Amino acid sequence: MNLAEILNYNEQLYFEHTETSDSQKQINTLHTENDAYVTLCIADKDRKYTKNNEHTWKQYHYKPFELITKLDNIKSLKTNTYISVNSFYIAKRSLNTLRYINALYVDLDCSIKDYDITDDELNYAISILEQDYFNNCIPEPTLIVKSGRGLHLYWKIEHLPKQALPYWTVVQNAIFEALKDFNKDFNILKADKNAVDCARVLRLVGTVNTKNNTVCTLEEVYEENNYTLTEIVEEYFPHINSIKNKEKKSRTKKERKVRALYNIYTLHFARLEDIQTLQELRNGECEGMREFMCFLFRYYSCLYNKDKQLALEETLEFNDKFTEPLAIEEVINNTRSAEAAYEAWEQHMDVDNPKWDKDSKGYKFNGYNYRTSTLVSKLKITKDEQYKLKTLIGKEVKLERKNEKRREDRRNENGLTPKQQELEDIYIQIINLKTQKVKNKIIAEMLKINEKTLEGYITKLKKKGRL
């Protein structure tokens, strides 16, 4: 039988089981009250890449309750199996289809090639974490999983929408940074910098890690450890609060760096969405710009997904939405430099010590750091299109948005500016006094205005039907 047949074979037998398995606990904890899709990734042992002799992967997408019914069949495959930590609107794992952000996570992986780490060594690593890290520099996790060659730590958080992704990314990176030097305390394990993206899949409990033929097990479940990002930030990473406090003028060096990184994550996310929106606004008719748009999409997708293969797959799907798509090989080859630029960005991105650029008066990172004006020009984005985009806008539209925001910020809960509210207060007093049949002369004296001004107010109130 093929993978799909095995997954669907006798799934009704699940309902005869009464005991909750550890794999079910993992799914229930991460995807509580979740009606979105969870991605299941399974190694196809019958097919190999010719280049690196690695397993190819097949992806399946299920609602949490559907996935639980297939657990016995999945485990019977005895191969590398992963599930997504976060969940998706539709049956597709990507940044664009992200629905809920369910957790923060870190993959502490074996740093010694071909080393068979023992269970006792993993227990010792957990004891170090419990003594020196948990409730000190990072919160205590909700789940601790032994992955076969390391540990997976999960912090369950309240469901976050896709719009909170830049803020989540900053907190996710802060937890990674707190564990970055764990290798100095326990030289066998090292935090994987590539396992911090929102579309990440991690090993499913109860399945086999074929590298050392061990079963992935659930070590600890702390069900009471459900967090909000705000709680984690306030308790462990207070410098991140500077992101939300826009009025604060005096910032520490660490706060400035975190804010700079947050702005960069936000920019990458917004540009990725804008490129898609631009394609939609033009109904896929982007002749002369398709290759550059595919390049930008692949680059920003790499930066945000931190997964080059996934970024390429999404870029090919993006290309298919043009009215006249480019050839697949053309997209792959002509946008390959996007991966090189991403690798340069990752290699030189130092959260603790980003480089300050005197000319731009900001923190500089390697890779392609396009100015917005350059992209607006190259993509020939019209003013009408700019009104529908988030960040790919010219100076004129940007100024209009600032002025509009300034006007909105001046308005109170009634939607009125201070002057409008002051006038409304006068109108209300006039209406109340006229209802009591107080004469105009007395009303004018009480409100400290002249009678002609009062008469003008009364006329306006009558026209509006308020008197």
Side-chain angles (χ1 to χ4, degrees):
M1 290 189 292
N2 60 32
L3 282 176
E5 290 172 334
I6 293 173
L7 288 176
N8 293 320
Y9 180 70
N10 279 346
E11 65 180 52
Q12 69 271 15
L13 294 178
Y14 161 80
F15 294 103
E16 298 176 7
H17 296 182
T18 56
E19 184 179 351
T20 302
S21 67
D22 284 348
S23 49
Q24 185 176 345
K25 289 178 184 177
Q26 180 189 23
I27 294 168
N28 285 339
T29 301
L30 294 176
H31 300 279
T32 308
E33 299 178 358
N34 194 335
D35 60 348
Y37 284 93
V38 182
T39 297
L40 175 72
C41 292
I42 301 177
D44 188 349
K45 294 187 288 186
D46 298 326
R47 298 176 60 202
K48 303 242 181 212
Y49 283 124
T50 56
K51 184 177 179 182
N52 299 317
N53 200 37
E54 294 178 347
H55 292 309
T56 58
W57 297 92
K58 287 192 174 181
Q59 295 191 41
Y60 304 88
H61 311 276
Y62 302 106
K63 299 292 181 69
F65 68 90
E66 294 173 327
L67 180 58
I68 289 171
T69 66
K70 301 179 183 296
L71 287 175
D72 286 346
N73 295 344
I74 292 169
K75 294 173 189 176
S76 72
L77 295 169
K78 296 183 179 179
T79 190
N80 298 299
T81 306
Y82 301 77
I83 61 168
S84 61
V85 181
N86 299 317
S87 45
F88 307 92
Y89 275 108
I90 59 175
K92 182 179 182 301
R93 179 174 69 98
S94 75
L95 173 66
N96 304 324
T97 60
L98 184 66
R99 181 171 186 183
Y100 293 128
I101 303 171
N102 302 318
L104 298 157
Y105 37 88
V106 169
D107 178 7
L108 293 171
D109 201 15
C110 185
S111 59
I112 305 173
K113 187 177 181 181
D114 299 326
Y115 181 78
D116 287 333
I117 189 168
T118 67
D119 196 59
D120 286 341
E121 287 171 325
L122 289 175
N123 288 335
Y124 180 60
I126 293 173
S127 69
I128 294 174
L129 289 166
E130 290 175 336
Q131 181 176 335
D132 298 334
Y133 289 83
F134 298 163
N135 298 319
N136 291 316
C137 60
I138 57 174
E140 182 180 60
T142 311
L143 298 177
I144 301 177
V145 172
K146 291 179 179 177
S147 64
R149 281 178 54 81
L151 299 171
H152 294 164
L153 310 178
Y154 299 88
W155 292 266
K156 173 67 177 173
I157 57 176
E158 290 184 2
H159 288 326
L160 287 175
K162 179 180 177 180
Q163 291 73 19
L165 191 51
Y167 188 55
W168 174 87
T169 302
V170 171
V171 181
Q172 172 79 345
N173 276 284
I175 287 186
F176 167 78
E177 289 295 320
L179 286 165
K180 188 171 66 173
D181 293 331
F182 181 70
N183 188 247
K184 295 178 182 178
D185 296 326
F186 187 75
N187 66 353
I188 301 175
L189 295 183
K190 186 176 183 179
D192 184 357
K193 68 176 183 180
N194 295 317
V196 295
D197 57 294
C198 65
R200 178 60 42 180
V201 292
L202 294 175
R203 288 188 183 274
L204 175 63
V205 168
T207 61
V208 175
N209 184 330
T210 60
K211 288 184 179 179
N212 58 358
N213 202 34
T214 56
V215 176
C216 179
T217 59
L218 183 62
E219 181 64 18
E220 296 287 352
V221 180
Y222 301 102
E223 294 181 355
E224 69 279 7
N225 290 348
N226 288 312
Y227 301 96
T228 66
L229 282 188
T230 301
E231 288 172 345
I232 293 175
V233 167
E234 289 180 351
E235 181 71 21
Y236 298 95
F237 312 110
H239 58 281
I240 293 179
N241 276 324
S242 63
I243 290 171
K244 293 187 174 182
N245 189 357
K246 295 182 179 180
E247 296 180 359
K248 185 176 180 181
K249 294 182 179 179
S250 177
R251 302 181 191 275
T252 65
K253 189 176 182 181
K254 196 170 186 179
E255 287 175 336
R256 290 197 299 272
K257 290 173 183 176
V258 168
R259 187 164 181 80
L261 288 170
Y262 172 76
N263 289 339
I264 289 171
Y265 294 139
T266 304
L267 180 65
H268 291 163
F269 182 47
R271 284 185 173 178
L272 186 60
E273 289 195 314
D274 276 355
I275 294 164
Q276 291 177 284
T277 302
L278 189 62
Q279 185 191 53
E280 293 169 3
L281 291 173
R282 295 176 177 178
N283 297 315
E285 297 177 4
C286 305
E287 188 68 29
M289 300 178 193
R290 292 170 298 173
E291 183 178 313
F292 185 54
M293 289 177 72
C294 284
F295 164 79
L296 291 174
F297 189 93
R298 187 173 180 180
Y299 178 54
Y300 291 121
S301 184
C302 277
L303 287 172
Y304 225 96
N305 284 317
K306 297 186 184 296
D307 185 325
K308 292 184 287 188
Q309 182 59 34
L310 181 60
L312 176 58
E313 292 171 5
E314 291 187 351
T315 303
L316 292 174
E317 290 182 8
F318 174 76
N319 175 61
D320 286 340
K321 294 177 183 177
F322 290 122
T323 52
E324 295 182 14
L326 299 170
I328 292 176
E329 289 301 317
E330 188 177 355
V331 175
I332 294 173
N333 295 330
N334 294 357
T335 66
R336 186 171 283 123
S337 58
E339 281 192 5
Y342 159 68
E343 289 169 357
W345 197 91
E346 281 288 294
Q347 184 178 355
H348 293 91
M349 192 200 78
D350 187 344
V351 177
D352 288 332
N353 190 30
K355 302 171 186 176
W356 180 263
D357 183 51
K358 293 181 180 179
D359 296 330
S360 62
K361 295 182 180 180
Y363 289 99
K364 187 176 182 180
F365 299 89
N366 285 14
Y368 291 99
N369 299 300
Y370 288 107
R371 291 179 179 273
T372 299
S373 57
T374 301
L375 294 178
V376 170
S377 176
K378 280 181 171 288
L379 296 172
K380 298 179 181 178
I381 304 175
T382 66
K383 188 175 180 181
D384 286 341
E385 288 173 335
Q386 290 173 37
Y387 285 128
K388 297 178 175 66
L389 303 178
K390 294 181 179 179
T391 185
L392 295 180
I393 58 176
K395 290 182 178 179
E396 188 177 348
V397 174
K398 186 176 182 180
L399 181 60
E400 289 179 15
R401 286 187 182 176
K402 278 189 175 181
N403 289 337
E404 178 62 28
K405 187 177 185 305
R406 193 178 293 114
R407 286 192 292 269
E408 287 300 318
D409 289 344
R410 291 175 59 225
R411 298 182 184 276
N412 59 20
E413 64 274 11
N414 298 319
L416 302 175
T417 64
K419 286 188 177 180
Q420 290 172 334
Q421 185 63 59
E422 184 181 345
L423 185 59
E424 177 63 19
D425 292 341
I426 293 173
Y427 284 162
I428 291 172
Q429 291 182 70
I430 292 171
I431 292 169
N432 291 335
L433 292 169
K434 290 298 290 182
T435 302
Q436 298 172 35
K437 297 183 179 181
V438 179
K439 293 183 178 180
N440 285 359
K441 184 177 181 180
I442 297 174
I443 294 175
E445 289 176 357
M446 291 176 67
L447 299 180
K448 297 179 181 179
I449 57 177
N450 61 54
E451 284 190 61
K452 286 189 177 181
T453 301
L454 175 62
E455 289 170 2
Y457 288 158
I458 292 172
T459 301
K460 288 180 180 179
L461 288 170
K462 286 180 176 179
K463 285 182 179 180
K464 293 178 180 179
R466 299 180 67 179
L467 266 181

